[in-house]
Amino acid sequence: MKRKLRMGMVGGGKDAFIGAVHRIAAFMDGKIELVCGAFSIDPQISKESGEELFVDPSRVYESYGQMIEKESQLPEGERMDFLTIVTPNFLHFAPAKMALENGFDVVIEKPMTVSLDEAKELKEIVEKTGRTLCLTHTYSGYPMIKQAKAMIKAGHFGKIRKIVVEYPQGWLSRLSEREGNAGAAWRADPKKSGLSLVMGDIGTHAAHLAEYVSGLRITELCADLTTFVEGRQLDDDGSVLLRFEQGAKGVLMASQISAGEENAVRIRIYGEEGGLEWANEDPNNLIIKMLDQPRQIYRTGNAYAAPFTLSSFATHNTRVPAGHPEGLLESFANIYRNFAATVSAKKEGRVPTPEQLDFPSVDDGVRGMAFVQNVVQSNESNEKWTKFVL
Ligand code: NAD
């Protein structure tokens, strides 16, 4: 591409959390520029946010509907190329549908929608329009997660037996939704959040990570959800036993009442010959534990000699030399860079490389919403195992 891709945004104003992270990630590699937005539910905040971001005031809109309509009418050389959706969960589907149907590609936050039905409908729209949809499952963008996936795929650990994935947080240990925390308020509201708070908000990240790294899909589950904080309308803690393809078994823990925890995502996977461990709080390390061998640590950005060479997927998603820490922002930027490369390739009639195509898609979004629905059904059921149905 001889130019940057033009990005529009719904949500992500001065009153928001994750929108600013998206902008940092999108801009990191110089391939994307922000040209328009409906940045807030409050038009005044949207206007002020646009001013702070130096967006042309004529392209700061009062609603996403107005934005998509007006942008579609601009000449091709000016209009946005894609829409980033960083609104609360219940406001993902409608702008995504409208953007796709008006010829725009989409970057969308997880959980992709509030229900499995909406997710399936979105998949149909993506297929019908031929547009690209990228789902921002942050944790699968890390280079050492790519390395873990590549080593499992290459059979380094033998047949996979056990997958343990955890996402404990402590920030909802109190009734924050009644204490003026706007992010907690919509998350704890079933109409705005979906069927499950903990599984929609962070369980989907954990389930995606388990399937992405292992390359195995969940086939059955047995779930236990709890609302620990009195007065809360949705669950805030969950434990799930998992069965995967090819006989692997697993455990997923997602909790927002793990008092004192920050974002302690961790995954451990064990095969017949050895296992691996990765933690979000130490993301440049991948610990390898083989039977009858000392423990090894693979680190981001090293030019290891064979047979320890880092995979092309790990190096493609690394920016700085070894020893300079990369983290959440770079992982997020990897998702944007791969999405932008894929969109640019499609615009120019080129075939994207496998490394460029490596970002979460609408299919991952459908699986995420199926995971939430199946977990909730399992929690309510007396049957021990619930089939993972899409
Ligand atoms: P937030 O409450 O901090 O911000 C929401 C933003 O959306 C605000 O700017 C609000 O004004 C705006 N908004 C609401 N309705 C709107 C409308 N109709 N038009 C335009 N703007 C509107 O929420 P957040 O924490 O930033 O979360 C947003 C989304 O991102 C959620 O789906 C959440 O699950 C997801 N998220 C993902 C990650 C991740 O790691 N990938 C992290 C945090 C949040």
Side-chain angles (χ1 to χ4, degrees):
M1 285 281 277
K2 296 214 167 48
R3 63 168 179 86
K4 295 187 183 200
L5 286 181
R6 295 182 287 264
M7 166 181 175
M9 213 170 200
V10 53
K14 291 181 355 176
D15 54 343
F17 161 51
I18 204 70
V21 173
H22 277 254
R23 287 189 294 271
I24 294 168
F27 302 160
M28 192 174 283
D29 297 289
K31 308 279 187 207
I32 294 170
E33 61 183 328
L34 179 68
V35 295
C36 62
F39 296 106
S40 172
I41 186 74
D42 179 336
Q44 182 57 27
I45 294 179
S46 181
K47 185 168 170 281
E48 289 167 14
S49 306
E51 279 165 11
E52 281 187 8
L53 295 164
F54 304 107
V55 174
D56 176 349
S58 71
R59 292 175 80 178
V60 177
Y61 300 99
E62 290 193 358
S63 68
Y64 70 81
Q66 188 193 47
M67 171 164 62
I68 294 168
E69 196 187 316
K70 296 269 184 215
E71 288 290 319
S72 325
Q73 290 160 8
L74 291 177
E76 199 180 328
E78 275 177 50
R79 76 170 84 112
M80 70 171 170
D81 292 296
F82 73 92
L83 179 65
T84 286
I85 299 168
V86 279
T87 42
N89 305 349
F90 76 109
L91 274 164
H92 289 182
F93 175 77
K97 173 176 157 61
M98 190 173 172
L100 292 164
E101 290 179 343
N102 279 276
F104 301 110
D105 297 305
V106 164
V107 174
I108 191 168
E109 261 301 349
K110 49 47 56 181
M112 190 167 76
T113 52
V114 282
S115 71
L116 179 57
D117 286 346
E118 273 187 358
K120 286 181 181 169
E121 198 179 329
L122 209 51
K123 180 176 155 68
E124 275 173 25
I125 298 167
V126 167
E127 283 166 0
K128 202 166 83 201
T129 58
R131 310 280 2 146
T132 303
L133 183 144
C134 167
L135 179 73
T136 47
H137 271 308
T138 326
Y139 305 99
S140 58
Y142 282 97
M144 286 299 102
I145 284 293
K146 309 284 187 197
Q147 179 63 19
K149 180 179 175 66
M151 290 176 83
I152 288 179
K153 196 172 172 198
H156 192 82
F157 307 101
K159 188 173 177 341
I160 298 304
R161 290 171 164 168
K162 187 88 183 169
I163 299 164
V164 184
V165 64
E166 301 157 54
Y167 197 156
Q169 298 180 326
W171 74 290
L172 293 177
S173 294
R174 301 195 178 106
L175 199 59
S176 317
E177 56 269 44
R178 303 266 179 84
E179 293 164 4
N181 183 329
W186 71 253
R187 280 175 174 81
D189 177 346
K191 288 196 278 311
K192 297 183 173 171
S193 194
L195 288 176
S196 164
L197 164 55
V198 74
M199 288 301 156
D201 207 32
I202 57 174
T204 49
H205 274 314
H208 169 69
L209 199 58
E211 291 196 341
Y212 178 78
V213 177
S214 71
L216 300 171
R217 282 175 301 185
I218 299 165
T219 56
E220 284 180 290
L221 51 80
C222 172
D224 181 27
L225 297 175
T226 307
T227 306
F228 276 105
V229 175
E230 213 169 303
R232 179 161 286 151
Q233 292 187 65
L234 284 170
D235 50 64
D236 46 32
D237 179 83
S239 309
V240 190
L241 293 177
L242 300 168
R243 287 178 168 174
F244 290 83
E245 294 169 323
Q246 297 174 25
K249 303 276 172 102
V251 185
L252 181 150
M253 183 270 256
S255 170
Q256 294 177 306
I257 51 81
S258 293
E261 291 289 5
E262 295 172 344
N263 286 283
V265 183
R266 189 160 73 125
I267 185 161
R268 286 170 287 165
I269 301 186
Y270 306 94
E272 289 169 338
E273 305 297 330
L276 61 79
E277 176 173 348
W278 177 88
N280 182 49
E281 293 179 340
D282 193 10
N284 298 146
N285 284 341
L286 174 65
I287 303 170
I288 303 296
K289 310 164 184 182
M290 301 305 291
L291 280 176
D292 311 319
Q293 291 181 25
R295 223 166 250 206
Q296 293 175 338
I297 301 178
Y298 281 64
R299 291 194 31 88
T300 310
N302 279 284
Y304 297 128
F308 303 106
T309 318
L310 292 174
S311 83
S312 64
F313 287 84
T315 53
H316 172 76
N317 288 287
T318 302
R319 286 178 181 73
V320 296
H324 299 300
E326 290 184 305
L328 173 95
L329 298 175
E330 287 84 357
S331 177
F332 229 113
N334 291 338
I335 297 174
Y336 265 98
R337 188 168 58 179
N338 292 338
F339 163 76
T342 294
V343 168
S344 301
K346 280 168 105 177
K347 280 185 189 296
E348 294 180 336
R350 287 180 285 111
V351 179
T353 65
E355 286 84 355
Q356 291 170 337
L357 284 167
D358 178 28
F359 56 87
S361 70
V362 72
D363 292 319
D364 298 294
V366 172
R367 287 196 69 75
M369 294 317 300
F371 174 75
V372 173
Q373 183 165 307
N374 289 314
V375 162
V376 169
Q377 266 168 19
S378 165
N379 179 61
E380 288 166 357
S381 159
N382 288 326
E383 294 282 312
K384 181 161 179 189
W385 291 103
T386 297
K387 286 236 176 300
F388 190 101
V389 284
L390 282 177

